[in-house]
Amino acid sequence: MVTDARSVLQRCDELARCSEEAGRLTRRFGTPALAQARDLVAGWMREAGLHPRVDAVGNLLGARGDGPRLLLGSHLDTVIDAGRYDGPLGVLCAIAVAERLRDRPLEVAGFADEEGVRFGTAYLGSALLAGRFDPAWLDRTDADGVPLRSLVGDIAVPPRADLIGYAEVHIEQGPVLEALDRPVGVVTAIAGQTRARVTFTGRAAHAGTTPMDLRSDALVAAAAWVLEVHALARATPGLVATVGELRVEPGAGNVVPGRVVASLDVRHAEDAVREHAVEQLLAAVEGEVLQANGAVACDDSGFPADLPRLASGAGHDAVMLSAVCPVSMLFVRSPGGISHHPDEAVREADVAVALDTLTAFVEARC
Ligand code: HGY
Ligand code: MN
Ligand code: MN
């Protein structure tokens, strides 16, 4: 029986060993490490009386009972050199609550790709349940040229119509609950998010024999643009914009960069502000929007009124599930606001509060 915070955290530790890399946690979509994590979590689902299955894109879904049900869960994939709670904490809290309430029809999801690290497109897992998996994504390739289509089965499935709601426990990944000195908080909305790819084309040349005034250095152009991205975000209240990836080609120290591919991540609570910022940032460059998701309102009615309310700057699978049912999220305090980093942490006492709060939420709904 795993129903308390300590055992949930011990399971997070065990799950963190399922990694693509020795010495740090990286568990991307469609990798053997993710399959290993799924097998581990499927066993824990069975112990909680859930019947696990893996769907066409690799989501792990553990259900019991018939008819309309509440879906609980989060994602099992991670970023690169990740913390061990972003995603897994929500999946394991959901299983612990399923264990506590063994008589209730329920379903728990361990989504296969919320971060979108491998193919640049977030929510590949939850998009399938929401009927929002875009077949055009199948043509996407990862950095090694592996096509997404080679990793998935038949995605032509209808959106789920049997969910009375989706609820997710997740670390806050920010400073608010720590500043309020509160263990948990209720999410009111999730910021809209645009992900794009920008290509800078120059001319590769010899670093030693090419005079500075005869160069077409793609990285210099990219660097100037990155500074523009930063300046616009600093000057626009509530806007965050990030260039997290730069692929420099050919990537040799003695060659003037001929081509640079940059990522762009832009977010804001108001869609019009985000869309205008993206327009400005892509106006003078060769850019392609990979994915844009509008801001999503969350249903906070199932949680106690005395819990603090806050918006989420981070994206979550609830963004996709909001297409098919009401979505609710409960944040757990993030010490230092640290996330997407191995120092990401949670306190056992805070997780205990989250478990009790989610248990009461589920009891009231089904
Ligand atoms: O990037 C995000 O907002 C989330 O961690 N996927
Ligand atoms: Mn997450
Ligand atoms: Mn994340």
Side-chain angles (χ1 to χ4, degrees), residues 86 114-115 173 193 195 265 267 313-315 340:
D86 173 3
E114 186 276 336
E115 302 289 0
Q173 302 176 298
Q193 180 184 139
R195 293 196 184 186
D265 178 316
R267 310 192 192 192
H340 284 189

Side-chain angles (χ1 to χ4, degrees), residues 110-310:
F111 291 116
D113 184 73
E114 186 276 336
E115 302 289 0
V117 168
R118 185 167 179 185
F119 289 94
T121 305
Y123 314 131
L124 288 179
S126 45
L128 191 71
L129 275 73
R132 294 172 67 179
F133 192 102
D134 183 346
W137 295 344
L138 294 172
D139 297 326
R140 290 267 161 85
T141 55
D142 69 5
D144 300 321
V146 176
L148 173 53
R149 105 181 27 259
S150 66
L151 297 168
V152 300
D154 176 10
I155 53 134
V157 297
R160 291 288 294 265
D162 60 339
L163 301 180
I164 60 174
Y166 171 69
E168 179 171 357
V169 169
H170 201 287
I171 51 172
E172 180 203 334
Q173 302 176 298
V176 173
L177 291 177
E178 190 167 48
L180 294 173
D181 191 21
R182 299 294 294 273
V184 298
V186 181
V187 178
T188 54
I190 301 169
Q193 180 184 139
T194 298
R195 293 196 184 186
R197 182 178 291 156
V198 179
T199 303
F200 297 88
T201 306
R203 192 177 54 256
H206 195 297
T209 58
T210 312
M212 294 310 287
D213 61 348
L214 296 181
R215 293 181 179 207
S216 174
D217 186 328
L219 186 52
V220 171
W225 176 76
V226 170
L227 292 175
E228 285 171 27
V229 170
H230 187 73
L232 179 67
R234 293 290 300 255
T236 312
L239 188 78
V240 286
T242 312
V243 177
E245 261 181 286
L246 271 186
R247 205 165 61 229
V248 181
E249 296 171 0
N254 60 348
V255 180
V256 175
R259 185 169 179 269
V260 169
V261 180
S263 65
L264 176 65
D265 178 316
V266 180
R267 310 192 192 192
H268 196 279
E270 291 168 47
D271 291 345
V273 175
R274 170 175 52 86
E275 286 157 1
H276 180 58
V278 170
E279 213 174 286
Q280 285 177 272
L281 293 174
L282 298 187
V285 292
E286 188 192 328
E288 173 199 6
V289 172
L290 299 176
Q291 188 176 35
N293 289 297
V296 163
C298 295
D299 173 7
D300 69 343
S301 62
F303 295 110
D306 68 339
L307 292 183
R309 264 64 180 159
L310 68 164

